[in-house]
Amino acid sequence: MKVNMIMLLFQILAISTLKQGSALVPDGYVEENVALRGRATQSAQLRGEYAGFAHASNAIDGNRDSNYHHGSCAHTEGANSWWRVDLKQVYTITSVTITNRGDCCEERISGARILIGKHLKDNGINNPECSTINVMAAGETKTFHCPQPMIGRYVTVYLPKTEALQLCEVEVNVLFPAPC
């Protein structure tokens, strides 16, 4: 518990040295994707012939391959879809990087909301918003900077419309002191 609190304080100190919305990493710090350590889940997995490619965990496997049929993308089914990663502890998050599907259907991600918080009420869709995904090109990888650093354990991507949600990689970026 004490070590986690110290790490959280280091993260807040590092982030406070950044200009709002800046992509710069201050000297003495490194940015790390903590989603790789997490556990992913989603509202409903695609069913049918291609269901084997649709697992939520595919979006945190460290592979930005945007071709769904290569097995590195998550795919939900139904309206009001959501995908979530449990980071297993609380972090101060600076940004979220998302890779969109590249072999088709790139428009489906439009309107998705990136939510970060400490609560699972309504599957995390009531947590504070980091950013909204307006438009992404097929196969594009884009970093969404939160308006201010956000503290949370859960990162949810929520698509409030009738389309299925497809994500080929979700990276949750946190600053840590650089190793000596």
Side-chain angles (χ1 to χ4, degrees):
M1 178 73 158
K2 187 175 181 181
V3 172
N4 287 343
M5 182 59 77
I6 291 170
M7 289 303 296
L8 189 58
L9 290 172
F10 274 122
Q11 292 171 15
I12 292 168
L13 176 64
I15 292 167
S16 68
T17 65
L18 294 174
K19 292 182 180 176
Q20 189 170 330
S22 171
L24 300 175
V25 176
D27 289 340
Y29 290 87
V30 294
E31 190 172 57
E32 184 178 333
N33 171 18
V34 294
L36 295 169
R37 305 177 194 161
R39 187 179 60 210
T41 189
Q42 58 194 13
S43 52
Q45 183 172 309
L46 178 71
R47 292 177 290 189
E49 180 180 359
Y50 299 110
F53 298 114
H55 299 284
S57 61
N58 291 348
I60 57 169
D61 62 0
N63 184 350
R64 289 182 175 176
D65 186 344
S66 65
N67 185 319
Y68 174 76
H69 300 284
H70 293 169
S72 185
C73 301
H75 192 313
T76 67
E77 185 167 86
N80 297 311
S81 294
W82 55 264
W83 175 95
R84 181 181 65 238
V85 62
D86 175 355
L87 301 172
K88 299 183 181 177
Q89 71 179 56
V90 174
Y91 291 99
T92 302
I93 299 163
T94 57
S95 63
V96 176
T97 302
I98 293 180
T99 301
N100 194 16
R101 184 171 174 174
D103 59 318
C104 89
C105 320
E106 69 271 6
E107 72 285 349
R108 289 184 181 170
I109 201 167
S110 297
R113 299 172 56 217
I114 302 168
L115 309 161
I116 298 172
K118 297 186 229 175
H119 306 288
L120 283 176
K121 184 178 180 186
D122 294 324
N123 297 303
I125 63 173
N126 290 321
N127 282 327
E129 184 173 306
C130 166
S131 189
T132 298
I133 302 169
N134 292 318
V135 175
M136 287 183 72
E140 179 181 10
T141 297
K142 188 173 189 177
T143 298
F144 298 88
H145 294 276
C146 304
Q148 61 188 18
M150 298 181 74
I151 296 173
R153 174 177 172 170
Y154 305 101
V155 176
T156 304
V157 180
Y158 170 58
L159 187 62
K161 58 184 189 178
T162 59
E163 298 288 341
L165 177 63
Q166 300 167 45
L167 303 163
C168 291
E169 195 65 23
V170 177
E171 301 166 48
V172 179
N173 305 308
V174 173
L175 293 179
F176 288 102
C180 297

